[in-house]
Structures are given as structure tokens and as C-alpha cells.
Amino acid sequence: NAKHKFSNTEMAISICVYGSSRNSRKKYLEESYKLGSLIAKAGYVCVNGGGRNGCMGSLNDGVLSMNGKIRGIVHHQFVLDNGEHQKIEDLVVVKGDTLHERKKMLFQGADAVIALPGGLGTFDELFEIICLRSIEFVKCPIVAVNIDGYFDGVKKQIVRAKEDDMLYVSHEDSIKFVEDVEAALKFCVDSINETKSEKSDGKDEKRVVRRKIPKNYFHFFKISFAFLLGAAMMNVIQAYKINA
């Protein structure tokens, strides 16, 4: 695989990373640690769920190994279970009976989102941010690190949804799938720099998401319009007869 170099001369970039909080395959943990060290080495801020186990924990260990900056957003429930990473200084504890506020704080202000292998929580976070990007509530690049084909099923489902006309945009416009963490970070940084360049050139125009209206809807609209027009004409005729 090609090796990518990342510059730390730019203004601090914030990278939000999703990933498992449960220890699993060694390769997942190793790649997570590598991503953390790359983010820190480049001088970027790593925003994540603040966990000490799984891909999340290895990610944080990697950042800390290079004296990098971490912003952990952890739910109060996980603190009660001692699930937070003890060495994170900037740790925000969120309360509530759902994870909604925590998820919002994770991607809020993020310049890019990277998904490492994870469970239902990771899928929940990933699909929500993909949805928000597809309707342009967020514009940050999103990339999934498809280690050993872990996200193959996700990619296949999104492609199928587009083929069956369930989506307004293709998966290429919503999320990028790459094989390793270096490619993931490079994609994020390149996308961020491209966006900055477009803004400086005055080309940052809002893209309109055009929603395709099924043909049978037009038939329904025509019938409805004809009915309303006929009803209006009948009222006019009735009014004329009364006045006459």
C-alpha cells in the first residue's frame, strides 16, 4: 500500500471517529491505534466516544502515544460502568435517557468523520451522519475503513437501496469506503482542502438535492387538479343561477 504524508502546518482539523467499545480482532485494534497516531502526528484533534476498550480505546492510545489532542464525548451511563478512557483530559460527560445528544456533540464542528469497525452503536452513528450528509445538514466527508471487508455488507445495502430508487443520492456522494486508515485520513484531508479551495474561489454554492417524483404521482395530481377545477366551475354556475 502507498504511504501517505500528512501536513501539520494547517489550522487544527477536527476528525470525528466512530468505532467499537468492545475488544475484538487484533487487526482492527492495530489499525485503530495507527489511525490515532496518524491523527496526532498531523496535529489534528481526534473527537470520539472517549472509551478505553475496543477500536475506540486503541484509537485513543494511539493519539496519546504521540501526545495528541483528544476530545471525548461519553454518555453518563458508560462512566458509571467505568468505560471511559482514564487518560483523556478533555472528557465531556453527557446525560439523558437516549444517545441522541451525545451523537450530536460528536459530529458537531467536525471537519470529517471516519468509521472504524464497530457494533450497533457504530452503525447507528454512521447511518445517521450519512443521512444528514445526503440532505445537506452536514457537508463533512465521511469514510469507512473497510478492514478485511468489514463494511462490505453496509456498502452492498446502500448500493441496493439506490438501485431500488430508495435514495436521492448515490453512495459515492455520501460515503467513501477505503481499505486502510492511511487512505481514510488522506481522503478526509484532501476533501477538506478541496472545500477550503472552493470557498476561497467563491465556488461554494449549495447543491440542491433533487427528489425524483414517481410518475404515478403526476397522474394523481392531474386527476386531483381536474376534480378541483370541475368543482370550482360548478360553484360558479350555481352562483350564476342563484343571482339570475
Side-chain angles (χ1 to χ4, degrees), residues 156-167:
K156 184 177 180 180
Q157 185 61 62
I158 295 175
V159 171
R160 169 65 185 274
K162 179 59 179 175
E163 289 174 349
D164 288 359
D165 208 19
M166 298 290 185
L167 304 181

Side-chain angles (χ1 to χ4, degrees), residues 207-234:
R207 179 175 60 85
V208 178
V209 178
R210 301 189 182 280
R211 290 163 169 76
K212 182 179 178 182
I213 302 177
K215 292 181 180 179
N216 58 333
Y217 278 22
F218 289 110
H219 183 62
F220 171 78
F221 290 151
K222 287 191 289 185
I223 294 176
S224 299
F225 179 75
F227 175 79
L228 292 173
L229 182 62
M233 289 298 296
M234 289 296 295

Side-chain angles (χ1 to χ4, degrees), residues 33-34 37 61 69-70 74 105 109 124 152 163 170 176:
Y33 185 95
K34 185 190 294 185
S37 63
D61 289 340
K69 297 179 181 179
I70 301 172
V74 62
M105 291 184 69
D124 177 35
D152 281 352
E163 289 174 349
S170 66
K176 176 81 170 179

Side-chain angles (χ1 to χ4, degrees), residues 79-222:
V79 175
L80 293 177
D81 295 337
N82 297 315
E84 80 279 14
H85 200 293
Q86 298 296 324
K87 294 183 179 180
I88 297 178
E89 295 181 359
D90 186 5
L91 190 69
V92 179
V93 180
V94 183
K95 294 186 177 182
D97 55 2
T98 71
L99 295 174
H100 177 74
E101 189 62 27
R102 175 176 176 260
K103 289 189 292 181
K104 182 179 178 180
M105 291 184 69
L106 276 170
F107 66 74
Q108 222 168 26
D111 295 296
V113 173
I114 297 176
L116 293 165
L120 295 179
T122 300
F123 291 139
D124 177 35
E125 293 162 343
L126 180 58
F127 273 105
E128 179 168 341
I129 196 70
I130 291 173
C131 176
L132 292 175
R133 178 175 166 81
S134 72
I135 56 178
E136 295 200 335
F137 280 12
V138 300
K139 292 187 176 181
C140 61
I142 304 167
V143 56
V145 188
N146 197 23
I147 305 168
D148 285 346
Y150 185 80
F151 286 106
D152 281 352
V154 173
K155 182 178 180 180
K156 184 177 180 180
Q157 185 61 62
I158 295 175
V159 171
R160 169 65 185 274
K162 179 59 179 175
E163 289 174 349
D164 288 359
D165 208 19
M166 298 290 185
L167 304 181
Y168 297 124
V169 296
S170 66
H171 81 272
E172 290 93 346
D173 294 327
S174 303
I175 181 172
K176 176 81 170 179
F177 294 90
V178 299
E179 301 301 318
D180 58 70
V181 295
E182 288 182 318
L185 190 56
K186 182 180 187 302
F187 170 76
C188 290
V189 175
D190 288 348
S191 298
I192 292 167
N193 289 335
E194 184 180 340
T195 299
K196 288 180 179 178
S197 177
E198 289 177 353
K199 285 183 178 180
S200 65
D201 293 341
K203 297 178 181 179
D204 185 35
E205 298 180 359
K206 186 175 179 64
R207 179 175 60 85
V208 178
V209 178
R210 301 189 182 280
R211 290 163 169 76
K212 182 179 178 182
I213 302 177
K215 292 181 180 179
N216 58 333
Y217 278 22
F218 289 110
H219 183 62
F220 171 78
F221 290 151
K222 287 191 289 185

